[in-house]
Amino acid sequence: MHDPDALRSLHLARFQAEPAIFAAPGRVNLIGEHTDYAEGFVMPAAIDFATLAGISPRSDGKVVLYSENYAKERSFDASALPTEPSHHWSDYPLGVLAILAGEDHTIPGFSLTLWGDVPLGSGLSSSAALEVATALAVTSLLGVSYPGPVLARLCQRAENEFVGANCGIMDQFISANGAKDHALLIDCRDLSFKLAPIPASVALVIANTMVKHAVTGTEYTSRRAEVEAACAVIAAHRPEVRFLRDATPEDLERWGSEMTPNSLKRARHVITENLRTVAAAEALIRHDLRELGRLMAEAHRSYSQDFEASCVEADTMVALAQDLPGLIGARLTGGGFGGCTVNLVEMEKAPAFAAALAERYATEVGIVPQIHICHASGRAHRIR
Ligand code: ADP
Ligand code: MG
């Protein structure tokens, strides 16, 4: 677990200074995949895995970054911080510093200890947790405080403009604004959000397929290009459609034939996913778990068949969950091509569900999966 006492001890031993400590959660997206950059809807929940950042000022003008996850330290002059990424974990905290510097803050010398239990690179947003924890720590040292949505946008810019990952706003937003026992229906157009309560009787069971197919980066980019091309076709007829968020299933019926077959399928996923995501939030709000499960199943089919962002292992993990006692709904979550599935499961059946799913997956795929029983947790915050 992410233990602030252990982080404090590490920081004290390494830097001989008392740290202020911040935590930022990872997240699981319940529904709404590849809709954020189409200015659509997503519905993630923050989870009880988090990245901790301990920070203390230094008087030698250095910025020293230490990650306990990698057991590695990097040191820079605060007055000459890198302006380009080096394809190293330090790009994420350095990206946050670069964006803050661009906002006219002078970055002082400091020591930063990072340590998290969000699984790295598994689609649970360890990168956003790292950015948001860093941003909270550094802004607190600067004596400034940004509202959660603004902090999220700064962190997204760090990932887009410095790290070079073309992600949407969802991951940073939920880490900075999540609410305990709730998912957030986020409107990625104006960043307004609505709380959707997750009943106390429901667990978020996250099943890691343990695979991440190497296509991820290139396929993400090509999917975005196909989505944008589909939008351009519709916009040629209806100029008010700036993003697929503004498009309807009827638009696809009328003008889909002008799109490439791939663009049409990708657009069908995004347009129907937006509708499903809003419907899923309404289902949660009125405690209609059956409908939520049905929408999650439909979302998985759409993600797998129309968006073609699943893989054999993820499809298998979802299929193997279907007849296990307690399942409400299951789908692949995150950017795709591997990573984790999210399963909504009746709380008291969750441990048996997790054990049975692990055994089935190991037998069928030949890989022992990691399965985590999680709960919706609160937003990033200062611990001490
Ligand atoms: P995800 O966000 O789904 O976990 P990403 O590939 O976007 O996957 O981000 C993972 C990367 O974030 C890691 O490879 C590493 O570079 C960085 N990272 C995340 N957490 C930490 C940490 N605690 N310490 C150092 N680097 C981290
Ligand atoms: Mg990430």
Side-chain angles (χ1 to χ4, degrees), residues 189-316:
R189 168 150 285 168
D190 60 8
L191 297 188
S192 61
F193 63 90
K194 201 190 264 183
L195 293 180
I198 298 176
S201 58
V202 174
L204 308 176
V205 181
I206 298 172
N208 192 336
T209 61
M210 314 302 280
V211 301
K212 190 78 214 175
H213 294 287
V215 296
T216 312
T218 53
E219 294 288 312
Y220 183 89
T221 309
S222 68
R223 292 296 182 285
R224 270 189 84 145
E226 286 158 354
V227 163
E228 279 154 20
C231 188
V233 167
I234 298 171
H237 301 280
R238 285 213 300 131
E240 66 276 23
V241 173
R242 290 189 298 119
F243 291 89
L244 283 188
R245 150 68 178 276
D246 306 307
T248 63
E250 294 71 45
D251 291 331
L252 279 187
E253 266 168 43
R254 292 179 71 179
W255 299 304
S257 60
E258 297 174 26
M259 298 171 189
T260 64
N262 273 354
S263 259
L264 173 60
K265 286 165 73 176
R266 309 313 180 225
R268 190 161 59 213
H269 167 75
V270 174
I271 291 171
T272 57
E273 184 82 345
N274 266 325
L275 298 172
R276 280 189 294 272
T277 303
V278 174
E282 285 163 3
L284 260 183
I285 287 166
R286 63 173 193 271
H287 298 286
D288 186 349
L289 296 179
R290 247 181 103 91
E291 173 66 359
L292 179 68
R294 190 190 69 73
L295 290 163
M296 287 176 75
E298 217 176 82
H300 183 77
R301 251 192 321 276
S302 171
Y303 202 32
S304 179
Q305 290 170 17
D306 276 347
F307 212 73
E308 296 184 274
S310 188
C311 58
V312 175
E313 296 85 351
D315 285 344
T316 303

Side-chain angles (χ1 to χ4, degrees), residues 45-357:
I47 53 175
D48 35 6
F49 289 126
T51 301
L52 299 181
I55 195 164
S56 58
R58 296 176 71 98
S59 52
D60 62 358
K62 299 264 182 222
V63 166
V64 182
L65 309 173
Y66 172 72
S67 166
E68 172 68 5
N69 292 75
Y70 288 98
K72 284 276 170 3
E73 182 179 294
R74 290 197 93 185
S75 179
F76 306 87
D77 283 330
S79 57
L81 288 166
T83 51
E84 297 290 330
S86 59
H87 310 290
H88 184 266
W89 61 263
S90 57
D91 286 351
Y92 297 89
L94 288 172
V96 170
L97 299 181
I99 295 298
L100 288 173
E103 294 290 300
D104 279 342
H105 294 297
T106 304
I107 306 298
F110 63 83
S111 306
L112 187 73
T113 300
L114 300 161
W115 191 11
D117 58 5
V118 187
L120 304 188
S122 300
L124 301 180
S125 260
S126 69
S127 61
L130 175 56
E131 290 150 7
V132 172
T134 302
L136 276 185
V138 175
T139 51
S140 134
L141 197 65
L142 290 168
V144 294
S145 162
Y146 287 109
V150 178
L151 195 80
R153 191 62 97 185
L154 293 174
C155 291
Q156 182 203 10
R157 287 182 51 208
E159 192 148 344
N160 291 167
E161 296 170 24
F162 189 92
V163 178
N166 205 6
C167 60
I169 184 75
M170 169 170 69
D171 301 352
Q172 293 81 5
F173 194 91
I174 185 67
S175 184
N177 301 284
K180 190 168 161 36
D181 301 327
H182 290 78
L184 262 59
L185 175 70
I186 305 168
D187 182 338
C188 297
R189 168 150 285 168
D190 60 8
L191 297 188
S192 61
F193 63 90
K194 201 190 264 183
L195 293 180
I198 298 176
S201 58
V202 174
L204 308 176
V205 181
I206 298 172
N208 192 336
T209 61
M210 314 302 280
V211 301
K212 190 78 214 175
H213 294 287
V215 296
T216 312
T218 53
E219 294 288 312
Y220 183 89
T221 309
S222 68
R223 292 296 182 285
R224 270 189 84 145
E226 286 158 354
V227 163
E228 279 154 20
C231 188
V233 167
I234 298 171
H237 301 280
R238 285 213 300 131
E240 66 276 23
V241 173
R242 290 189 298 119
F243 291 89
L244 283 188
R245 150 68 178 276
D246 306 307
T248 63
E250 294 71 45
D251 291 331
L252 279 187
E253 266 168 43
R254 292 179 71 179
W255 299 304
S257 60
E258 297 174 26
M259 298 171 189
T260 64
N262 273 354
S263 259
L264 173 60
K265 286 165 73 176
R266 309 313 180 225
R268 190 161 59 213
H269 167 75
V270 174
I271 291 171
T272 57
E273 184 82 345
N274 266 325
L275 298 172
R276 280 189 294 272
T277 303
V278 174
E282 285 163 3
L284 260 183
I285 287 166
R286 63 173 193 271
H287 298 286
D288 186 349
L289 296 179
R290 247 181 103 91
E291 173 66 359
L292 179 68
R294 190 190 69 73
L295 290 163
M296 287 176 75
E298 217 176 82
H300 183 77
R301 251 192 321 276
S302 171
Y303 202 32
S304 179
Q305 290 170 17
D306 276 347
F307 212 73
E308 296 184 274
S310 188
C311 58
V312 175
E313 296 85 351
D315 285 344
T316 303
M317 190 74 92
V318 168
L320 293 175
Q322 292 307 316
D323 64 338
L324 287 176
L327 181 77
I328 295 161
R331 54 175 288 278
L332 171 61
T333 183
F337 311 104
C340 295
T341 68
V342 57
N343 304 265
L344 264 57
V345 181
E346 291 166 33
M347 185 72 75
E348 82 244 22
K349 302 212 170 106
F353 174 93
L357 184 58

